[in-house]
């Protein structure tokens, strides 16, 4: 039971790990000495900068692979520098983080060029600068740009070409200008892609 509990915990966020301690005495004993959390879920939290800093100082921070900051209205560009404490981070969710701009994306990706997953859902204020920074990612497998609506067809095509064979999933819903250049880039370079979402792409729908 102790082994299965520890394995099970690796799939949960930190809130669920804490709740799982109440399942039984065996799980409590195993999870009590759980070294760090694989998944941190700060979705919609206030005081998120302090949370990041606190968990980042924990000796087990090197075991954290995913952090969700979606809908964190207080999260600012400078706060993303704190994520550097999580040295082995592979996945970040910044969905609708209203105070995070192109500069914040640059801060994040300067520290983590080997992210596997990045979600930027409904951040329409981001510009082509962000796509330039995205091209620095070396092994991105899942990218959500849904609602980053003002990117050009060239912007997205450049990101796709750079990601190439590593890319498995991309969401381009509501990116208005996505059209033939992006689709051609996907068809010629993303040979391992298995999920493509393109809901409400106006230029493509009209062509």
């Amino acid at each position: 039971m102790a082994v299965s509990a520890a394995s099970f915990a690796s799939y949960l966020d930190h809130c669920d790990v804490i709740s799982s301690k109440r399942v039984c005495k065996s799980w409590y004993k195993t999870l009590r000495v759980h070294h760090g959390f694989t998944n941190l879920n700060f979705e919609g939290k206030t005081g998120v900068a302090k949370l990041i800093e606190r968990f980042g100082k924990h000796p087990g921070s090197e075991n954290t692979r995913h952090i969700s900051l979606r809908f964190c209205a207080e999260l600012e560009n400078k706060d993303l520098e704190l994520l550097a404490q999580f040295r082995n981070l592979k996945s970040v969710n910044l969905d609708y983080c209203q105070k995070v701009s192109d500069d914040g994306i640059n801060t994040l990706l300067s520290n983590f060029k080997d992210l596997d997953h990045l979600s930027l859902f409904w951040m329409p204020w981001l510009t082509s600068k962000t796509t330039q920074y995205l091209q620095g990612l070396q092994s991105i497998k899942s990218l959500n740009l849904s609602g980053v609506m003002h990117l050009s067809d060239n912007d997205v095509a450049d990101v796709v070409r750079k990601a190439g064979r590593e890319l498995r999933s991309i969401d381009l819903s509501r990116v208005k200008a996505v059209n033939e250049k992006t689709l051609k880039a996907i068809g010629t370079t993303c040979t391992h892609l298995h999920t493509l979402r393109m809901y409400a792409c106006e230029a493509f729908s009209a062509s």
Side-chain angles (χ1 to χ4, degrees):
M1 177 64 76
V3 174
S4 62
S7 176
F8 177 65
S10 69
Y11 294 95
L12 305 177
D13 65 40
H14 70 284
C15 298
D16 290 332
V17 169
I18 293 170
S19 297
S20 296
K21 290 181 181 180
R22 305 188 185 101
V23 171
C24 63
K25 289 182 179 180
S26 179
W27 280 38
Y28 175 80
K29 290 178 180 178
T30 300
L31 299 177
R32 183 181 58 181
V33 295
H34 187 63
H35 298 295
F37 298 97
T38 305
N39 305 298
L40 292 176
N41 181 7
F42 299 141
E43 179 177 338
K45 296 290 187 183
T46 57
V48 67
K50 290 183 178 179
L51 285 172
I52 295 172
E53 188 171 18
R54 189 179 102 197
F55 279 85
K57 289 179 178 178
H58 190 281
S61 63
E62 64 181 17
N63 295 321
T64 299
R65 298 294 184 270
H66 170 75
I67 294 180
S68 177
L69 297 164
R70 65 198 308 257
F71 308 134
C72 286
E74 296 179 3
L75 187 73
E76 299 182 8
N77 290 334
K78 61 182 176 60
D79 299 331
L80 293 173
E81 188 65 50
L82 298 171
L83 294 180
Q85 300 171 103
F86 303 92
R87 295 180 298 171
N88 296 311
L89 197 61
K90 292 293 185 181
S91 172
V92 178
N93 189 318
L94 294 175
D95 292 353
Y96 197 57
C97 289
Q98 302 170 49
K99 294 184 179 180
V100 174
S101 68
D102 294 317
D103 291 339
I105 304 302
N106 186 31
T107 296
L108 173 67
L109 300 186
S110 294
N111 290 320
F112 298 101
K113 296 186 182 298
D114 58 348
L115 286 181
D116 289 338
H117 171 87
L118 179 63
S119 186
L120 304 175
F121 169 76
W122 208 251
M123 299 178 74
W125 51 87
L126 297 180
T127 72
S128 60
K129 289 183 178 179
T130 283
T131 59
Q132 294 172 23
Y133 305 141
L134 289 173
Q135 290 177 58
L137 290 172
Q138 299 170 353
S139 57
I140 188 72
K141 291 179 173 57
S142 175
L143 181 61
N144 187 350
L145 296 176
S146 176
V148 188
M149 59 179 62
H150 300 302
L151 303 180
S152 72
D153 195 22
N154 282 327
D155 290 335
V156 180
D158 287 343
V159 172
V160 167
R161 276 191 291 267
K162 189 66 176 181
R165 298 179 67 223
E166 295 293 330
L167 197 62
R168 304 294 193 273
S169 174
I170 187 167
D171 191 339
L172 301 173
S173 299
R174 303 178 184 83
V175 183
K176 296 180 179 181
V178 163
N179 209 328
E180 294 180 3
K181 291 181 180 179
T182 296
L183 291 177
K184 183 177 180 179
I186 290 172
T188 56
T189 62
C190 300
T191 54
H192 292 164
L193 190 74
H194 59 66
T195 302
L196 170 63
R197 295 185 176 90
M198 291 183 61
Y199 171 77
C201 294
E202 295 179 6
F204 177 72
S205 300
S207 62

